[in-house]
Amino acid sequence: MRLAAVYLPKGVLQHLFGKDHEGLTLNLGGLNNYEIIDNNEAIEIKIVSENENFISDFWGSNISNISAIVGRNGIGKTSILRALHSTGDKKKKNVFYLFEEKEESWYYYNELETKTISTDLEIKEINSNALSSVKQYYTPIVDIEQINTLSQLGIVSNGEENLGKLYNKQLIQDVILLNDPVKDTLKTIYPDFPEYTELEIKITQHRKFDFKNVYATANLGSQDRVTVLKTYIESDISDLEEGKWKGLIGNDFIKQNILERYINIINSSGLNSMFDQLWAQGKYGHDLGNDKLHGDSDFMQNFEVTLFTYFVLDATFPQTPFQGTTGNFQSIIDKDSFEEIFDAFFDLYMLSIYGIVRDDIESKLERVSIKDYDKIKEIINEDRHKKWTQQGFKSSDAVELMLRYLDRFKAFFDLYTYLRKSISENQFEIKEDSLIYKLEDHNEKDFYDLIELYNKVLGETNNFVYPLDLLTIRSTYSLSSGEKALLNFFARINNRINKLNSSGQSIFNYYLLLLDEPELGYHPVWKRKFVDAITKSIPVLFAKLNPNRNLLDTESKEFNDLKTQIIFTTHDPLTLSDIPINNVTFIDKNVDTNKSFIVNHNEDVDLATFGANVHDLLAHSFFLENGFMGEYAEGMIKSLINYLTNENSDSENPVMQFEWNKMNALKFINTVDEPFIKERLTNLFDEKYLLNDKQALLDKRDEIDARLNEIEDEED
């Protein structure tokens, strides 16, 4: 099975080819070259010519074809690839697909309006939605428009994913691949395949200043105690006038619910003072410097102080008539254990949202503890049916907020409990302030569970005052950006294959990989190896799938070996030199109209690709229009030439206006490494300074005479 041509209908990519552009046929290097035309009555398909250089199984028995889309940056390569992706793109484009099967069998898949097919070919239609399932799109860039599972964004992505969650998602995919036996096969194919053997998990180090600065520069956590007290008094007066406390007023009520609260406010110095009180606790002390949040000797203590700092930071609550009376902050942090402090913060949040419901929780359960999550949730939900409104606030809104904070604290507590359990059961290796996960020694599920719990925390804290950054997870061996890119590419494909295997869905005998600049970030050595690597490794990865459905015949029970086809975009000549020219789609742009067009490479492209010299490819306008030299160096050389030849530069380029003198010119010439250019500049320098300077000529003569004497002495 081989996708041989694609038809892009009239006007489908107006931003590239113009508002009323004609339909375009992309030939991908199949058995023939085709022309596809939509004449409003029928879709015509005809063979234009035979691809004389087509070789069956050229890419191996498991890859039906590899094609490339080439053009300069911004010319439309990605847009075309996304049009082929079609159903997996938020900006869906309807196109027409023509497939070849063996030598004299053709199939088509039509996303255009239903039309008659006009052709001399013996052709059948693919009627199922299978094609949307077999197309897999990959991009190394996080692209919110791409919702296929090879992207790091999910099928229901709205583009608002936390970057931390995206990083963790990729990390898990990497670890899954590195724990998979298929990795060993990849290593035989790709000897320098990047990998790491262990990951270090630490509590992210923060500056104390960054937390305190939130309140120093914003109208939050006011340091003005008079203003805070005034707000509470005005709220209490309003409650009295509305009769909210009718039947409750008494000495004990006034003392415990009103006067003590006022005293606490007066004694408070604002939220920043709470940070100081927390950090002054002896168990959180360290010797790394006054502005460091935690030390480097105890992982769980670092976790505790960082978590509680975030709790303080987020403890800014709007004044509502549903709030209860909050206690003194010092009474929270003076508690003995982590769980007691944690529950005290939890209680503070519950009180600050809906005091009556919080009191109901304490009355029924005799405590307010996150360990009673399920029972607390039931009690909160009991208040859902009440439709109270006071001072413009709805009780239903307070209930929803309580449930939100309940889930947030539960996520934090689950993570804490898991970390404690991991340490006590030696699920990870302990190394002072770090947990070490060793791929060969530790159970991968333990690591996956940790990431899942941490991602849940990240999901519950999207609206934190200060973005949550609690765990730092990195390999102890630092991978380069190119190594990460290569590992990520294979990890994402492997992840997709694993999902297909476990989904219970149909597994087809053909898959189409659409790769958008997959070698982006690679070292040139890896770019040179890329096509060779995918021809050998992609079949190994897809061999984990057992096809149970034929793309063409859903009732067939006999399947050929699974085949993959690859179409990728690139602007790198090292990669392109592995692709036959008939498999390359060239895109160029008209400088007058600023519109792109598909180039007929049989007639209009004076360019060889397969096995071509990379320097010849680079010299072509599809890659470099103005030679191989960097523009800064070129500008400086031109500027020096103008100076040495006494010509004035009309260029507005600051480089061309460089103020030269004899010494700078000589130093610059010595810097130039290209022999021909250096010799030319030296000649111009001599003409300007040497040939018109008698003393310089005499000095030069003396130098020559001295050198001649040295040679004569050597000969003697």
Side-chain angles (χ1 to χ4, degrees):
M1 187 69 173
R2 177 174 53 251
L3 179 62
V6 175
Y7 176 72
L8 306 175
K10 179 179 180 179
V12 74
L13 292 173
Q14 297 181 18
H15 67 292
L16 294 181
F17 303 111
K19 183 176 181 181
D20 297 317
H21 73 79
E22 295 298 320
L24 303 167
T25 302
L26 275 63
N27 283 288
L28 302 171
L31 188 64
N32 303 292
N33 294 312
Y34 301 89
E35 183 179 12
I36 304 173
I37 301 173
D38 182 357
N39 64 11
N40 294 324
E41 295 180 358
I43 295 176
E44 299 179 7
I45 306 171
K46 59 182 179 180
I47 296 175
V48 176
S49 62
E50 180 184 351
N51 181 359
E52 296 179 353
N53 297 322
F54 177 81
I55 302 174
S56 181
D57 291 336
F58 180 76
W59 307 102
S61 59
N62 297 110
I63 295 183
S64 61
N65 206 9
I66 298 179
S67 310
I69 301 174
V70 179
R72 292 186 292 272
N73 276 335
I75 210 165
K77 302 185 298 295
T78 297
S79 294
I80 290 178
L81 201 68
R82 287 175 57 173
L84 303 190
H85 190 206
S86 186
T87 52
D89 196 302
K90 288 185 177 180
K91 295 182 179 179
K92 183 180 183 298
K93 308 294 183 183
N94 293 325
V95 299
F96 182 92
Y97 305 83
L98 177 64
F99 291 89
E100 297 172 341
E101 174 73 3
K102 300 180 180 178
E103 292 189 0
E104 295 185 354
S105 298
W106 291 269
Y107 295 83
Y108 71 90
Y109 186 85
N110 183 22
E111 295 177 342
L112 310 181
E113 295 181 8
T114 303
K115 292 184 179 180
T116 304
I117 304 300
S118 174
T119 183
D120 293 333
L121 306 176
E122 293 292 332
I123 194 168
K124 297 180 181 179
E125 182 178 8
I126 300 174
N127 293 308
S128 71
N129 292 322
L131 192 60
S132 62
S133 299
V134 304
K135 289 187 295 184
Q136 306 297 324
Y137 182 99
Y138 168 84
T139 173
I141 307 299
V142 176
D143 183 354
I144 65 171
E145 300 295 342
Q146 295 299 327
I147 53 177
N148 184 275
T149 49
L150 277 184
S151 168
Q152 285 301 69
L153 303 179
I155 198 72
V156 293
S157 167
N158 58 8
E160 297 179 356
E161 277 84 350
N162 182 291
L163 287 177
K165 292 182 71 173
L166 292 178
Y167 172 80
N168 292 335
K169 182 178 180 181
Q170 183 63 67
L171 197 62
I172 278 210
Q173 292 177 9
D174 293 347
V175 170
I176 289 174
L177 176 63
L178 295 175
N179 274 316
D180 195 310
V182 76
K183 185 261 296 185
D184 296 328
T185 306
L186 290 175
K187 290 283 288 185
T188 63
I189 297 169
Y190 223 142
D192 52 354
F193 187 82
E195 63 176 324
Y196 45 77
T197 58
E198 59 184 34
L199 290 167
E200 182 182 60
I201 305 160
K202 303 185 73 166
I203 305 302
T204 304
Q205 182 64 274
H206 295 278
R207 294 192 313 160
K208 294 177 179 178
F209 170 81
D210 292 332
F211 287 98
K212 299 185 78 170
N213 192 49
V214 171
Y215 295 131
T217 59
N219 187 26
L220 294 168
S222 173
Q223 308 299 297
D224 184 354
R225 287 165 288 174
V226 174
T227 301
V228 176
L229 183 59
K230 180 175 179 291
T231 301
Y232 274 90
I233 292 174
E234 288 175 346
S235 176
D236 290 344
I237 291 173
S238 177
D239 288 345
L240 282 169
E241 291 176 347
E242 293 180 10
K244 179 182 176 183
W245 293 344
K246 187 176 181 179
L248 298 174
I249 298 297
N251 290 339
D252 289 341
F253 181 87
I254 293 174
K255 177 179 180 294
Q256 296 174 8
N257 294 278
I258 301 178
L259 298 181
E260 287 185 357
R261 178 171 59 173
Y262 295 164
I263 291 172
N264 289 336
I265 293 170
I266 292 171
N267 289 333
S268 172
S269 299
L271 287 171
N272 274 346
S273 69
M274 296 183 187
F275 287 131
D276 292 330
Q277 294 174 58
L278 172 64
W279 299 332
Q281 296 292 301
K283 61 181 177 180
Y284 300 139
H286 61 82
D287 56 3
L288 289 185
N290 292 332
D291 198 40
K292 299 293 185 182
L293 184 57
H294 60 69
D296 59 0
S297 59
D298 191 304
F299 179 87
M300 288 310 300
Q301 282 191 2
N302 294 347
F303 177 89
E304 291 180 19
V305 69
T306 304
L307 181 61
F308 293 153
T309 298
Y310 272 107
F311 284 175
V312 173
L313 184 73
D314 205 46
T316 54
F317 309 102
Q319 300 296 308
T320 77
F322 301 109
Q323 285 180 317
T325 303
T326 58
N328 186 286
F329 175 74
Q330 191 65 48
S331 66
I332 295 178
I333 63 172
D334 281 345
K335 295 185 180 300
D336 295 329
S337 69
F338 169 85
E339 292 187 15
E340 288 177 318
I341 299 175
F342 186 94
D343 282 340
F345 270 113
F346 176 50
D347 192 13
L348 170 67
Y349 277 66
M350 295 294 100
L351 270 169
S352 299
I353 299 167
Y354 203 161
I356 294 177
V357 175
R358 177 269 171 198
D359 291 343
D360 194 23
I361 294 169
E362 185 178 46
S363 174
K364 292 180 178 179
L365 304 179
E366 298 183 353
R367 65 178 184 177
V368 180
S369 173
I370 196 64
K371 289 184 175 179
D372 298 321
Y373 170 84
D374 292 329
K375 294 178 180 178
I376 291 175
K377 191 170 186 177
E378 289 179 8
I379 295 171
I380 295 174
N381 278 319
E382 289 174 1
D383 203 80
R384 278 182 178 273
H385 69 281
K386 299 176 182 177
K387 304 297 181 183
W388 296 354
T389 301
Q390 294 188 43
Q391 301 176 28
F393 293 93
K394 296 179 180 178
S395 62
S396 58
D397 292 335
V399 167
E400 293 300 327
L401 187 57
M402 286 189 88
L403 291 172
R404 191 188 315 161
Y405 277 115
L406 175 65
D407 287 338
R408 175 180 295 181
F409 274 84
K410 179 67 160 56
F412 276 122
F413 194 74
D414 287 346
L415 177 61
Y416 165 79
T417 304
Y418 184 81
L419 289 171
R420 274 289 184 202
K421 178 175 177 288
S422 299
I423 293 173
S424 65
E425 297 180 0
N426 298 316
Q427 292 172 221
F428 301 105
E429 182 178 305
I430 310 300
K431 186 179 179 181
E432 296 180 343
D433 63 336
S434 305
L435 303 182
I436 306 296
Y437 166 68
K438 294 188 175 183
L439 276 69
E440 294 184 357
D441 299 337
H442 298 137
N443 185 344
E444 60 264 28
K445 185 179 183 302
D446 293 335
F447 181 73
Y448 306 153
D449 289 345
L450 172 62
I451 297 297
E452 182 179 355
L453 289 169
Y454 185 47
N455 279 342
K456 189 170 184 180
V457 166
L458 292 174
E460 292 289 344
T461 56
N462 280 335
N463 59 347
F464 252 20
V465 175
Y466 185 75
L468 180 75
D469 184 8
L470 187 57
L471 298 183
T472 297
I473 307 173
R474 295 192 178 98
S475 77
T476 54
Y477 166 71
S478 182
L479 298 179
S480 70
S481 58
E483 288 176 315
K484 290 177 182 176
L486 187 64
L487 177 58
N488 293 171
F489 169 72
F490 286 104
R492 289 194 205 176
I493 292 177
N494 183 65
N495 180 67
R496 175 56 176 161
I497 290 169
N498 290 341
K499 284 190 174 182
L500 286 171
N501 263 334
S502 62
S503 66
Q505 300 174 357
S506 297
I507 305 297
F508 294 92
N509 65 339
Y510 169 86
Y511 283 88
L512 176 62
L513 299 184
L514 304 169
L515 313 178
D516 189 16
E517 297 191 25
E519 79 281 44
L520 191 66
Y522 288 12
H523 187 279
V525 171
W526 286 345
K527 289 182 178 182
R528 180 175 173 271
K529 291 182 177 182
F530 179 73
V531 172
D532 184 55
I534 60 176
T535 59
K536 296 173 180 175
S537 58
I538 292 299
V540 172
L541 290 170
F542 275 88
K544 297 198 294 183
L545 294 177
N546 294 313
N548 57 23
R549 185 175 175 187
N550 192 310
L551 181 63
L552 307 176
D553 182 3
T554 57
E555 297 180 358
S556 174
K557 294 183 180 180
E558 296 182 2
F559 306 102
N560 299 325
D561 292 337
L562 187 151
K563 291 185 181 293
T564 56
Q565 181 172 350
I566 300 168
I567 303 173
F568 68 91
T569 65
T570 187
H571 54 240
D572 192 278
L574 281 169
T575 305
L576 190 63
S577 65
D578 274 333
I579 307 298
I581 193 168
N582 285 334
N583 292 45
V584 180
T585 297
F586 295 96
I587 312 172
D588 209 343
K589 181 171 287 189
N590 187 311
V591 294
D592 296 325
T593 64
N594 199 36
K595 299 301 180 184
S596 299
F597 61 93
I598 305 296
V599 179
N600 186 334
H601 52 68
N602 292 322
E603 300 174 4
D604 303 328
V605 177
D606 181 21
L607 176 65
T609 57
F610 189 77
N613 186 301
V614 68
H615 296 289
D616 294 335
L617 286 169
L618 271 173
H620 198 279
S621 62
F622 280 104
F623 302 102
L624 292 176
E625 294 182 279
N626 300 307
F628 304 110
M629 188 182 299
E631 289 192 8
Y632 186 83
E634 181 181 7
M636 288 291 286
I637 290 171
K638 288 180 178 179
S639 176
L640 178 57
I641 291 173
N642 289 339
Y643 168 72
L644 295 175
T645 57
N646 297 318
E647 293 183 9
N648 293 323
S649 174
D650 296 329
S651 173
E652 296 181 358
N653 186 340
V655 173
M656 298 294 289
Q657 303 300 327
F658 185 81
E659 294 185 7
W660 293 100
N661 57 45
K662 181 179 178 181
M663 184 59 67
N664 283 342
L666 186 60
K667 288 180 177 179
F668 181 82
I669 292 170
N670 290 331
T671 302
V672 175
D673 291 322
E674 209 289 320
F676 178 80
I677 296 176
K678 188 170 190 173
E679 181 182 1
R680 176 60 179 153
L681 291 175
T682 300
N683 291 339
L684 291 176
F685 181 88
D686 289 345
E687 290 177 10
K688 183 177 181 68
Y689 288 108
L690 184 61
L691 300 181
N692 297 311
D693 188 327
K694 181 179 179 180
Q695 184 58 49
L697 286 170
L698 291 172
D699 293 342
K700 191 69 173 179
R701 186 185 66 181
D702 292 341
E703 290 179 17
I704 295 173
D705 289 342
R707 181 56 184 152
L708 286 171
N709 291 332
E710 290 177 5
I711 294 174
E712 290 177 357
D713 292 340
E714 291 173 0
E715 291 177 349
D716 294 339

